[in-house]
Amino acid sequence: MGKGTMHYINNIKSFLAILVIIFHTNSAYGGEGGWYYIESSNNFISTSILTLINAIFQSFFMGLFFFIAAYFSPRSYDNKGFYQFLKDRVPKLLIPAMFYFLLLNPLCINLVAKKNYFNSLGFYNMWFIIALLYFTLAYAIIRKVFTLKVRKYEFPSSKNTFIFIIFMGLLNFITRLFFPTNQLYIHDFSLGYFPQYIILFLLGIIAYRNNWLNKIDNKMVTLYYKVSLISILTMPLVFFIVSTYSSNLEGFYGGFTLESLYYSFWEPFTYVGIILKVLYYFQHRLNYNNSFLQLTSRSSYSIYIIQAPIIVSLQLLLKNLDVDILLKVLLVVLITFIVSLFFSIFLLKIPKLNKII
């Protein structure tokens, strides 16, 4: 299956694109994450639910994006070589990122409040694509410069997986002493999360070379998925304890704090089991295709690119709608998905764009 059609991977891409819409909409209505226009709410329970959902999504979905992107890089490079590999990959990453930088980011900002065009330039949501561009360039250059032997690695045991979790927790904590997760740096990178992205990109390459996706053991999936659920359940309790002595979440973002230490380890304890579960479940239950799944998977990249101004426009349109904040989130998510899917269908009919997105 490593070299054949893997419908479940395309279905995971569609799933992740939907999670991006949910994450950004949650952020727009009070969940932690940052957004162009935040509609505040006094409903503590609703905003806490949105924050918890965002924390869970943040723990795994972008890392899984990087893993999947990396998984297909070795095969593509093997078939095309250095120059053709970059010729195919770079425009698909750079052109959408620049389109967002020059047009969609200023549009989103100016929908909320008028701002000088040059001051509204930015990658914002496209940070992922720019990071993936850098990772791709680094991979291609290393392959070009060095003659790398393909080493064989057994699929990690339960013990080695636990060691990996501890290692990632420590790496997160150390990184966030210098780069708190609530601060953006060059290209709107939140560098506090980058240890996960870099490691999962590397693991995607290793997984392809060793056919790991076909070696995922159900017993280990079950074990670490239970660990993920237990980890998730600890967060409301920790939030409650912290709320007794602090009115904000600043300590979780980084620095030498118990909150940062907890969150640094909470992430890998949460995302390892979820990623294993998603990969295993989609492979064994959703490894098929139909017209709708094919359409959504083909549109997932363009949905990722264009969803931001749709969310912001809907926020402004519905801001006077007096309903529970969770219902408003659901409404915006559904409409955004439908509208962005239709826009994507239209864009994919344009021959030159079709080759890029």
Side-chain angles (χ1 to χ4, degrees):
M1 186 173 290
K3 295 185 179 180
T5 301
M6 303 168 73
H7 294 305
Y8 76 95
I9 293 293
N10 291 329
N11 294 336
I12 290 175
K13 290 179 182 178
S14 301
F15 171 65
L16 293 176
I18 294 170
L19 293 193
V20 169
I21 294 175
I22 297 173
F23 181 87
H24 288 154
T25 306
N26 286 353
S27 300
Y29 287 103
E32 286 293 313
W35 190 241
Y36 296 99
Y37 171 63
I38 296 178
E39 187 175 323
S40 59
S41 170
N42 294 324
N43 190 327
F44 175 77
I45 294 177
S46 294
T47 53
S48 296
I49 291 172
L50 296 179
T51 295
L52 177 60
I53 292 172
N54 270 11
I56 296 169
F57 286 3
Q58 176 67 63
S59 75
F60 80 93
F61 74 150
M62 296 313 298
L64 186 51
F65 263 128
F66 281 109
F67 178 90
I68 291 173
Y71 186 83
F72 294 99
S73 294
R75 181 178 66 183
S76 180
Y77 190 99
D78 292 345
N79 293 336
K80 298 173 182 178
F82 178 79
Y83 295 105
Q84 191 61 44
F85 174 78
L86 290 182
K87 184 179 178 182
D88 288 348
R89 289 288 180 99
V90 171
K92 291 180 180 180
L93 297 170
L94 189 58
I95 293 175
M98 293 308 301
F99 175 74
Y100 196 95
F101 180 90
L102 295 169
L103 293 176
L104 293 188
N105 197 65
L107 173 61
C108 289
I109 290 174
N110 282 274
L111 281 171
V112 178
K114 296 299 179 184
K115 189 174 183 179
N116 177 275
Y117 172 74
F118 291 102
N119 291 332
S120 62
L121 298 174
F123 289 108
Y124 203 53
N125 289 333
M126 294 299 101
W127 70 265
F128 163 73
I129 296 179
I130 293 298
L132 186 56
L133 174 63
Y134 286 148
F135 291 0
T136 300
L137 289 172
Y139 174 73
I141 291 170
I142 291 171
R143 286 286 304 269
K144 179 69 174 177
V145 174
F146 301 99
T147 303
L148 301 177
K149 293 183 179 180
V150 179
R151 297 185 60 182
K152 294 296 181 182
Y153 295 95
E154 293 296 323
F155 189 85
S157 64
S158 294
K159 177 182 176 181
N160 287 338
T161 301
F162 181 77
I163 293 172
F164 170 80
I165 289 172
I166 299 302
F167 169 77
M168 290 305 303
L170 287 171
L171 189 58
N172 283 342
F173 182 69
I174 294 169
T175 301
R176 293 168 190 181
L177 292 174
F178 307 97
F179 303 107
T181 58
N182 64 332
Q183 293 187 23
L184 300 180
Y185 300 89
I186 184 172
H187 305 323
D188 293 315
F189 289 166
S190 182
L191 295 178
Y193 291 114
F194 266 63
Q196 178 195 144
Y197 305 151
I198 294 169
I199 297 298
L200 285 180
F201 186 86
L202 294 173
L203 286 178
I205 295 169
I206 295 171
Y208 173 80
R209 291 299 189 194
N210 295 275
N211 198 26
W212 276 2
L213 293 190
N214 288 329
K215 299 177 181 178
I216 300 176
D217 179 63
N218 185 41
K219 289 183 179 179
M220 194 167 84
V221 172
T222 301
L223 170 64
Y224 277 101
Y225 186 60
K226 289 179 180 178
V227 171
S228 295
L229 294 179
I230 294 170
S231 179
I232 289 169
L233 290 174
T234 67
M235 181 162 277
L237 177 61
V238 172
F239 274 1
F240 173 76
I241 294 171
V242 172
S243 69
T244 62
Y245 61 83
S246 176
S247 59
N248 58 58
L249 302 176
E250 288 295 321
F252 288 94
Y253 300 134
F256 202 76
T257 66
L258 288 175
E259 296 96 322
S260 179
L261 182 66
Y262 163 78
Y263 186 51
S264 295
F265 280 88
W266 179 88
E267 276 191 336
F269 271 108
T270 300
Y271 72 69
V272 167
I274 294 177
I275 288 176
L276 287 172
K277 186 68 172 181
V278 168
L279 290 171
Y280 187 85
Y281 183 84
F282 273 75
Q283 185 183 46
H284 290 83
R285 299 292 182 87
L286 295 171
N287 192 22
Y288 59 84
N289 199 10
N290 57 42
S291 56
F292 178 74
L293 290 174
Q294 185 176 4
L295 181 63
T296 54
S297 64
R298 181 64 186 88
S299 304
S300 60
Y301 188 36
S302 53
I303 288 172
Y304 179 85
I305 296 166
I306 66 175
Q307 41 86 35
I310 298 172
I311 294 174
V312 175
S313 298
L314 288 171
Q315 278 185 272
L316 297 173
L317 185 65
L318 300 174
K319 67 179 181 179
N320 294 322
L321 182 64
D322 187 19
V323 296
D324 184 85
I325 202 75
L326 296 179
L327 181 60
K328 192 176 283 191
V329 166
L330 179 61
L331 187 62
V332 171
V333 167
L334 289 175
I335 297 174
T336 299
F337 176 71
I338 293 169
V339 173
S340 58
L341 181 60
F342 273 102
F343 264 110
S344 297
I345 294 170
F346 170 74
L347 293 173
L348 289 170
K349 291 183 181 294
I350 302 173
K352 290 186 177 180
L353 278 181
N354 185 277
K355 295 180 179 180
I356 297 172
I357 60 172

